[in-house]
Amino acid sequence: MIAIRPVYTSYEREEYMKPFGIVPEENQVVIAAINDGRFVGAALVSYEGNYGTIHMMSLIDGYDDYIDRFLIGKAALNFLDLSGAKDVSYIGTDEKLAKALGFKIDDSGMRINLIGYFDGAHDGCSGHCAEEN
């Protein structure tokens, strides 16, 4: 069973990001995924006020489970939503995962609005970007 949770100690943050070659910055939160006691992946997020960024969401090399990857993405979005961020950008490279999570992808990047996302009323823009559709 997979458990996904934010980690806050500097040791954990650095250890969980090491497989990805990333040193987390002070304002970034590491969300670690543990499956049956084994570290399998992580997300790296940051937020300020209404705006959030997912810097990466990935599984470790040698572990490929699309459901776990999707759950890491959902956990990252949930963390940002609970932290008050509603307008979220994803600056990573996994467009397939971003689309599955509901991100809108265009020339300006991958974006999602979380208003209504977790209560079933989500349309990807929650009405605020109807002019873009």
Side-chain angles (χ1 to χ4, degrees):
M1 175 177 223
I2 192 163
I4 305 171
R5 65 176 180 83
V7 295
Y8 296 103
T9 68
S10 60
Y11 174 78
E12 282 181 307
R13 290 165 34 87
E14 289 176 16
E15 284 300 307
Y16 288 133
M17 287 290 98
K18 199 178 287 185
F20 306 106
I22 297 171
V23 176
E25 295 175 15
E26 190 66 33
N27 67 329
Q28 296 175 327
V29 177
V30 175
I31 301 170
I34 311 294
N35 194 340
D36 291 328
R38 176 179 164 221
F39 173 68
V40 296
L44 183 65
V45 304
S46 61
Y47 62 94
E48 185 173 332
N50 192 49
Y51 299 98
T53 302
I54 298 177
H55 301 271
M56 61 81 67
M57 46 188 168
S58 183
L59 298 174
I60 60 171
D61 285 342
Y63 185 81
D64 187 27
D65 185 305
Y66 184 77
I67 293 173
D68 285 357
R69 185 177 307 124
F70 182 80
L71 292 174
I72 290 169
K74 279 289 195 183
L77 290 172
N78 186 55
F79 177 86
L80 290 168
D81 185 51
L82 292 173
S83 298
K86 300 302 177 199
D87 293 313
V88 176
S89 297
Y90 171 50
I91 59 174
T93 59
D94 193 340
E95 285 190 16
K96 179 181 175 186
L97 177 58
K99 285 179 185 178
L101 291 167
F103 281 84
K104 300 292 182 187
I105 301 173
D106 59 26
D107 292 339
S108 66
M110 295 179 265
R111 298 170 293 127
I112 193 168
N113 183 281
L114 297 178
I115 296 172
Y117 187 85
F118 289 101
D119 64 12
H122 184 257
D123 70 357
C125 289
S126 297
H128 82 287
C129 55
E131 67 278 1
E132 297 175 11
N133 294 329

